[in-house]
Amino acid sequence: MATAQTAASVVVVDYGLGNLRSVTRGLERANAAVTISADPGDLDDADGIVLPGVGAFSEGMENAGPFREALTDAAAAGRPLFGICLGMQMLLTNSEEATVEGQGDVEGLDLIPGTNVRFAEGQKVPHMGWNELNVQRQHPLVEGVDGEYAYFVHSYYARPDADGAVVTTTDYGLDFPSIVANDAGNVFGTQFHPEKSGEVGLGILRNFVELCAEQ
């Protein structure tokens, strides 16, 4: 729970993948009371939820299976749900990565309809390093970040079904969605790592915590 010294309570989902310590430190700097939890029941009392992730889509969805219902219920209730890197990709319907790796059809959370696709042949993968964020849609998460730079490490990117789901784009030989969100605006994700993106990333985490505090 939030205290007099913190703005909001945030649960970071521990499903075995993700840089939990760095994310937690960033959220604490952004004035959140953070709980790292492997218990789906803990999501019920949170003001906001962070789904971090590093690794393969299929492994992420398998590990996060016990959280599927709790995450879907939280999203339906309107609570902020923030996916980071792989966590953002897991918010979509599916990913080409599972097919490429011979893992068959792997169902994402389908909270933002769409698929994750690999960068085209000829583009260096992974896309790694600092790149610019260009705001396409107003959203509380991107207050003050248009034209700023964030840190990326990824080979796949989101391709939402609806153009309106794209909050920011980033140029890497093509303009790919670097932040996506659902229509209601409470489910969103960043392809980059805000916890590794210096003051810009901290600003995004602060925006998230402020959004959680409004719930």
Side-chain angles (χ1 to χ4, degrees):
M1 296 179 61
T3 69
Q5 288 76 38
T6 58
S9 64
V10 174
V11 168
V12 175
V13 178
D14 180 5
Y15 61 104
L17 298 173
N19 192 354
L20 304 184
R21 288 185 179 180
S22 293
V23 172
T24 296
R25 284 197 297 268
L27 288 165
E28 289 174 343
R29 288 184 64 199
N31 204 29
V34 184
T35 300
I36 299 173
S37 179
D39 181 358
D42 287 341
L43 275 57
D44 293 340
D45 297 324
D47 296 321
I49 300 160
V50 173
L51 182 65
V54 176
F57 185 85
S58 58
E59 184 181 10
M61 290 311 309
E62 180 179 358
N63 286 19
F67 286 92
R68 182 184 287 271
E69 184 176 356
L71 290 168
T72 300
D73 288 349
R79 277 182 289 154
L81 171 55
F82 184 179
I84 296 175
C85 198
L86 174 63
M88 184 210 76
Q89 295 180 6
M90 291 164 60
L91 299 176
L92 275 71
T93 311
N94 51 41
S95 176
E96 285 184 354
E97 183 178 11
T99 304
V100 169
E101 298 298 329
Q103 295 154 345
D105 294 329
V106 178
E107 183 181 353
L109 295 170
D110 198 28
L111 298 174
I112 302 174
T115 190
N116 298 285
V117 299
R118 187 174 173 85
F119 283 113
E121 293 293 332
Q123 288 179 285
K124 184 179 179 181
V125 293
H127 169 218
M128 185 184 308
W130 295 83
N131 211 334
E132 188 175 5
L133 307 176
N134 301 300
V135 174
Q136 307 297 320
R137 163 189 165 186
Q138 291 305 306
H139 187 280
L141 197 69
V142 296
E143 183 69 30
V145 306
D146 191 25
E148 299 289 349
Y149 282 69
Y151 186 78
F152 293 81
V153 183
H154 63 117
S155 299
Y156 291 78
Y157 63 91
R159 183 181 285 168
D161 290 349
D163 290 342
V166 179
V167 178
T168 68
T169 59
T170 294
D171 180 10
Y172 189 61
L174 56 82
D175 288 327
F176 71 88
S178 45
I179 301 179
V180 296
N182 66 348
D183 288 343
N186 68 300
V187 178
F188 43 85
T190 62
Q191 183 59 75
F192 56 90
H193 289 273
E195 76 279 10
K196 297 180 180 179
S197 297
E199 288 302 313
V200 172
L202 180 59
I204 289 172
L205 293 176
R206 284 178 176 146
N207 290 343
F208 167 65
V209 173
E210 289 175 7
L211 181 61
C212 294
E214 295 171 1
Q215 303 306 302

